[in-house]
Amino acid sequence: MSQISEFFTIQPSQRDHVPAARIALSVAIPLLVLLLVDRTDLAIYAAFGAFTSIYARNEPARARAAHQSWAGLLVVLCVMLGALLSDVGAPEPAVLAVTAVVAGVGALLAAYLTLKPAGSLFFIFATGAIGTLPDAAPVWQAGAVAAVSAALSVGLGAAFTLVGEGVRGPVAPVPAHHGLSWAQLWAHAGRFFVATGLAAVLGSLSGLSHSYWAMVAAAAPIAAPDLTARTLRAVHRVIGTLGGVGVTAFLLSLQLQSWHIVVFVILLQFLAELFVGRNYSVALLFITPLALLMTELANPGGASSLLQARARWRRSSVPRADSLWSTCSDHARSASRTRRPCRSSGRPLE
């Protein structure tokens, strides 16, 4: 009953408006600059670079700077890899295969570097979304825009120490070491590679477009620390995403211009960060339209087909998801047996 009640409970705020404002500002500044110079076609690369700001939330200043710098570097590399795949005209199966490798390697590096949020969801999203664009920006241009945006995020992370983030209120603990053996790290990477790879295959076999969304959906729950949390996260994601698809459909029905989309992206980013730690389903009401509107800026008209694909994939994925989740659960149980000695150190694998 307690797990069911979680869907209807919004946890009390713990100064969530402070990191939410910082992250929204990290998105707003580069997007507004690109809007002013009439280059909203580059907005998706700036937005991915700004995802750097999501990392190291409420961590002390020095740890936040280090973690965001590493996260920003990884995000920029994924943006450039996605742009390269698009520029060379890589077929979708090749993009999905590369993205599955990114999922595994990114999860390993995130665990090794103790990055939070854990896992490789943002690396998957950047590689898959940009890699499947019909006409991405040149690699150097996409990388430069993302790098400038990431650097701004790191700078704002340092500046927000002045308003108390990581100093007053909730201060996130920062472990001195990841506490994992290489075998455990590779097992962690393997879970992400297998789960996202299977999701890509199922997405492709379904005949629906934008199969990388299935990979994003598979990666989100397995970033949680244990099987119970992963299952609950998966249910939250299905419910929240379906609601978010409805929000997106409403927004797209308004015949939005570029500046409208930019404003909504900024607002949605703020709302997502305001609720992501308090109720994941509610946060997804904002995260889903945020992600879809970002693709609309890069590929006008593309969000409509992506919206249809996401809704159809969700409706038709229940039996497939059961099979996929059984496979991932078996793998997770095996990995948890491997991790058991490490749990005594108080550092669960996330």
Side-chain angles (χ1 to χ4, degrees):
M1 179 62 68
S2 61
Q3 293 181 355
I4 295 176
S5 66
E6 284 191 35
F7 291 98
F8 307 99
T9 302
I10 297 179
Q11 299 298 325
S13 174
Q14 295 184 319
R15 285 173 53 89
D16 294 297
H17 63 284
V18 176
R22 172 179 58 78
I23 294 166
L25 193 59
S26 298
V27 173
I29 293 174
L31 291 193
L32 290 174
V33 170
L34 290 172
L35 180 64
L36 289 173
V37 299
D38 197 25
R39 290 303 307 268
T40 53
D41 57 302
L42 299 176
I44 190 169
Y45 314 111
F48 277 123
F51 280 173
T52 300
S53 62
I54 295 174
Y55 287 88
R57 178 174 175 145
N58 287 325
E59 290 186 3
R62 181 174 296 181
R64 189 188 312 153
H67 284 153
Q68 286 188 339
S69 296
W70 279 114
L73 175 62
L74 294 174
V75 168
V76 171
L77 289 175
C78 290
V79 167
M80 296 177 70
L81 177 58
L84 177 63
L85 291 169
S86 175
D87 290 346
V88 301
E92 185 174 87
V95 175
L96 297 179
V98 171
T99 304
V101 173
V102 168
V105 174
L108 185 152
L109 291 173
Y112 182 82
L113 297 167
T114 65
L115 299 182
K116 295 294 167 58
S120 54
L121 187 147
F122 296 110
F123 311 142
I124 295 167
F125 189 17
T127 306
I130 296 174
T132 53
L133 286 176
D135 187 21
V139 174
W140 70 267
Q141 192 173 49
V145 172
V148 170
S149 183
L152 173 66
S153 296
V154 176
L156 286 173
F160 263 63
T161 303
L162 300 176
V163 297
E165 185 180 358
V167 179
R168 298 191 301 274
V171 178
V174 180
H177 189 268
H178 54 74
L180 305 170
S181 68
W182 278 107
Q184 291 168 330
L185 286 170
W186 282 111
H188 184 56
R191 275 199 302 279
F192 275 82
F193 175 75
V194 171
T196 57
L198 287 173
V201 171
L202 292 175
S204 297
L205 291 177
S206 71
L208 300 177
S209 61
H210 308 289
S211 296
Y212 72 88
W213 272 113
M215 305 176 76
V216 172
I222 60 175
D226 54 53
L227 184 58
T228 300
R230 291 169 195 152
T231 304
L232 187 62
R233 174 69 67 90
V235 176
H236 268 281
R237 188 163 186 86
V238 171
I239 295 173
T241 298
L242 287 173
V245 166
V247 174
T248 311
F250 169 74
L251 293 177
L252 291 178
S253 71
L254 301 177
Q255 302 297 315
L256 302 176
Q257 299 178 26
S258 293
W259 73 269
H260 297 139
I261 296 176
V262 168
V263 170
F264 275 123
V265 164
I266 296 167
L267 177 61
L268 290 166
Q269 185 72 70
F270 176 78
L271 292 172
E273 296 305 322
L274 202 59
F275 289 99
V276 71
R278 300 163 66 188
N279 186 300
Y280 191 51
S281 292
V282 172
L284 281 162
L285 295 176
F286 311 115
I287 293 171
T288 301
L290 166 66
L292 292 170
L293 290 180
M294 280 172 50
T295 63
E296 181 70 9
L297 285 171
N299 181 28
S304 297
S305 63
L306 180 54
L307 173 66
Q308 296 168 10
R310 286 204 74 173
R312 289 175 59 197
W313 191 88
R314 287 294 181 190
R315 287 198 302 268
S316 64
S317 66
V318 174
R320 296 194 202 94
D322 289 341
S323 175
L324 174 59
W325 190 249
S326 296
T327 303
C328 292
S329 297
D330 291 342
H331 198 78
R333 292 189 191 99
S334 175
S336 67
R337 288 194 293 272
T338 303
R339 292 197 306 271
R340 196 165 293 148
C342 185
R343 288 191 182 276
S344 62
S345 67
R347 172 64 182 162
L349 180 61
E350 296 183 332

